[in-house]
Amino acid sequence: MSEEIAVVKVADVPVGTELFSATVELERSSLVKYAGASGDFNPIHWNERFAREVGLPNVIVHGMLTMGVAASVLEEWIQDPGRVLDYGVRFTRPIPVPDPGSVEVTVVGKLGAVDAEAGTARIDLNVSSDGATVLGKAQAVIKT
Amino acid sequence: MSVNADFVGRVFTGTPPYEVSRVKIAEFSSAVQSLHPSHLDVEAARALGHPDVIAPTTFAVVIAQRAEAEYITDPAATIDFSRVVHADERFTLQRPIHAGDVLSTAVHVDSIVERRGISMVSTRTEITDEAGSSVATVRSTLAVRGE
């Protein structure tokens, strides 16, 4: 996380307000580490020869790793990760990872909606890499 | 061969319960770059009202994917994993998963829809604790390309 995350109370700001923003760096070793931690050893995430053979431009980031790091940015902002009630995404664009090198994933969270009666808020996440959105309809519902 | 649509409605419960450890939570947190103290420090987690360290939001995927394998690797399901792309994922959490949980799974095959040679396979994994209470629902859609 390269940027400081400021906490804003969702009740105090209008819908659409940007709540937080951070950039996460991923390299090949990040993918290997996630493979081990998650048990997802699909070779498209660590074997460049295999990835190219199946038509990918290079080894690609696990969609679930991108989803996971975006959640980490949200968790840091809400201060208690136990307040996340629902979190869903669509995987719309793969992120190739060069070697040597790294890729940056930028996560921006905006207030999507507030349900005062239920005590919840929807946070809309824009997750992008190299200027292109990589997760579609990335939304989380949190306890306020 | 296309994905076997006869599996819609089937429920898989053959995966043994998953015991959640502090070490696994710390390992997963590090992999998703979540350094929140509630994942790593028992006292910090308790200060927030949790019984032990809690798992990051997407940790349930570890438990769900382990359970989904019972369905996906069933030869009769005819899912060629080399042709699979993850299309979407959603977690609905009734409470945070914490170290010490012993969690059981039931994988429901909710739908298999073929569109332009691609089969969209949607599963729903219901995760319950030892008391039988619902902990999380993990919904996942895989896109399986035809030959």
Side-chain angles (χ1 to χ4, degrees), chain A residues 10-45:
Chain A
V10 295
D12 299 342
V13 299
V15 165
T17 302
E18 182 176 317
L19 302 170
F20 54 85
S21 163
T23 297
V24 179
E25 195 172 335
L26 299 172
E27 54 185 49
R28 291 285 181 90
S29 64
S30 319
L31 277 52
V32 172
K33 194 170 169 179
Y34 185 78
S38 68
D40 182 346
F41 292 100
N42 189 328
I44 60 173
H45 305 303

Side-chain angles (χ1 to χ4, degrees), chain B residues 2-144:
Chain B
S2 61
V3 176
N4 186 350
D6 293 345
F7 275 65
V8 174
R10 293 265 299 265
V11 185
F12 291 82
T13 56
T15 304
Y18 184 99
E19 294 187 36
V20 181
S21 72
R22 290 177 184 170
V23 170
K24 191 68 192 179
I25 287 177
E27 181 192 12
F28 189 86
S29 301
S30 173
V32 295
Q33 301 188 26
S34 179
L35 304 174
H36 195 280
S38 63
H39 304 316
L40 310 168
D41 175 350
V42 179
E43 291 314 313
R46 286 188 180 144
L48 291 169
H50 305 299
D52 205 311
V53 290
I54 60 168
T57 305
T58 63
F59 180 82
V61 74
V62 176
I63 300 162
Q65 284 187 348
R66 176 174 168 269
E68 288 160 15
E70 188 191 358
Y71 161 52
I72 289 162
T73 62
D74 185 328
T78 57
I79 297 175
D80 177 354
F81 206 72
S82 69
R83 295 174 175 279
V84 164
V85 179
H86 200 171
D88 63 53
E89 186 84 9
R90 181 176 168 199
F91 301 88
T92 304
L93 302 164
Q94 275 74 44
R95 66 162 174 84
I97 291 170
H98 60 76
D101 267 330
V102 178
L103 302 173
S104 297
T105 46
V107 179
H108 300 252
V109 182
D110 277 348
S111 68
I112 297 171
V113 180
E114 197 166 328
R115 278 198 300 248
R116 293 188 207 124
I118 296 175
S119 298
M120 306 297 284
V121 180
S122 295
T123 58
R124 170 175 46 91
T125 302
E126 300 289 355
I127 299 178
T128 49
D129 63 18
E130 282 180 298
S133 300
S134 177
V135 174
T137 303
V138 182
R139 293 178 180 84
S140 181
T141 303
L142 300 178
V144 188

